[in-house]
Amino acid sequence: MTDIRIFPDRKAMTAAAAEYFIQIAAKAIEESGRSSVALAGGSTPKALYEMLAGDEYRERIDWQKMLFVIGDERNVPPDDERSNYGMAERSLLRPLSISDKNIVKWKTANGEPEQIAERFENEIKDAFSLKHGELPRFDIAMLGMGADGHTASLFPGTKALTESERIAVENDVPQLGEVRFTLTFPVINNARNVMFLVAGADKAEAVKSVIEDTENGVDLPAGSVRPSNGTVTWFLDEAAARLLMHV
Ligand code: 6PG
């Protein structure tokens, strides 16, 4: 089931996304005593993280019962301004005093990309107590999307797009001239709830292509996000949604 929610501006989109996040997390905690989220990177989610850590939401759930996983990462140290972990740590994790044991991040400061990805993957297996071959099932897989239709660090034409078994991999992205780290489609598509947070006119083409044209074979990476047993909810501002015809 795909739900498209369009808001007049980023602020309204972020507020709706915060309410949705809390409701999903609270339900998971009520039902199982814990919740898990794969956090999106980039710039769009920062306002959401700050809102969740703010006065209106910080008391709404028991954050210590939540597992936070950095969904994808750049190959930079945590204190680098490009670090997705660094952004989440400053805007969400530190303000909510989330303990390290409830965070799984890519330890990019040391090791080769393959080792970094393998270490991250092993930490996820431990955190979810996975048996061999099992995939983690996130309550929330939060995703952004680039103007090229990439999501997480699953970029067009890159090797990670076809990864069908591993939980997390390093991914060489020639169009960026860098290595990235990312959860894979098998994990994203195993989530209970995927939430896309996409804003800005520059994303409108990709939004239309992924939401309305994917059936026509216009296959951008974000179009491969199709949870086998889960929901997809798009949180869009009007600028990003402006080319959608059927909403
Ligand atoms: C990353 C992200 C990436 C991001 C999109 C959108 O590490 O860059 O995970 O998938 O969500 O690039 O980024 P903005 O929110 O900055 O537009």
Side-chain angles (χ1 to χ4, degrees):
M1 179 196 89
T2 299
D3 182 8
I4 316 289
R5 301 182 189 182
I6 301 169
F7 301 89
D9 53 38
R10 283 178 186 246
K11 191 168 183 304
M13 175 194 78
T14 302
E19 192 57 42
Y20 171 87
F21 182 104
I22 290 293
Q23 285 176 15
I24 298 282
K27 183 167 177 284
I29 291 169
E30 188 187 326
E31 289 173 354
S32 68
R34 59 175 277 178
S35 181
S36 58
V37 58
L39 294 175
S43 58
T44 305
K46 185 170 181 290
L48 171 58
Y49 298 161
E50 289 168 341
M51 191 174 280
L52 289 171
D55 294 344
E56 188 178 349
Y57 288 94
R58 64 182 301 120
E59 307 300 332
R60 292 272 300 270
I61 60 169
D62 181 352
W63 293 99
Q64 299 311 323
K65 291 182 176 169
M66 188 147 216
L67 177 71
F68 295 85
V69 172
I70 306 301
D72 73 303
E73 189 56 279
R74 293 84 180 274
N75 193 20
V76 295
D79 58 355
D80 186 298
E81 61 174 11
R82 294 165 292 169
S83 169
N84 286 335
Y85 165 70
M87 183 272 282
E89 201 272 339
R90 287 188 299 275
S91 55
L92 181 71
L93 304 174
R94 190 189 321 158
L96 289 176
S97 308
I98 303 299
S99 52
D100 249 2
K101 68 179 175 54
N102 290 345
I103 301 169
V104 178
K105 58 182 181 279
W106 308 79
K107 296 191 172 59
T108 51
N110 43 13
E112 291 302 308
E114 295 76 9
Q115 295 166 324
I116 292 167
E118 203 172 314
R119 188 183 306 127
F120 178 87
E121 212 171 16
N122 289 332
E123 288 190 19
I124 287 197
K125 290 174 184 173
D126 291 345
F128 283 87
S129 309
L130 298 180
K131 298 185 186 65
H132 180 68
E134 265 190 321
L135 293 171
R137 182 162 165 77
F138 284 96
D139 294 303
I140 301 171
M142 190 190 300
L143 295 172
M145 185 177 70
D148 62 354
H150 81 262
T151 191
S153 281
L154 297 158
F155 284 82
T158 61
K159 187 166 174 283
L161 293 181
T162 56
E163 178 54 52
S164 59
E165 289 179 8
R166 289 192 59 189
I167 290 170
V169 292
E170 72 284 359
N171 191 30
D172 184 39
V173 185
Q175 54 267 51
L176 296 180
E178 63 185 48
V179 172
R180 288 286 192 95
F181 299 101
T182 187
L183 290 174
T184 59
F185 281 128
V187 171
I188 292 168
N189 286 330
N190 196 42
R192 289 187 178 82
N193 303 282
V194 172
M195 64 183 289
F196 276 103
L197 200 65
V198 182
D202 63 322
K203 309 288 178 78
E205 286 283 347
V207 164
K208 173 173 171 46
S209 177
V210 169
I211 292 178
E212 294 187 344
D213 298 342
T214 298
E215 284 64 33
N216 309 337
V218 180
D219 55 346
L220 298 179
S224 294
V225 174
R226 298 180 178 180
S228 49
N229 179 17
T231 68
V232 178
T233 305
W234 286 80
F235 291 85
L236 302 166
D237 69 354
E238 282 175 0
R242 66 186 166 83
L243 297 177
L244 290 178
M245 307 291 284
H246 314 300
V247 284

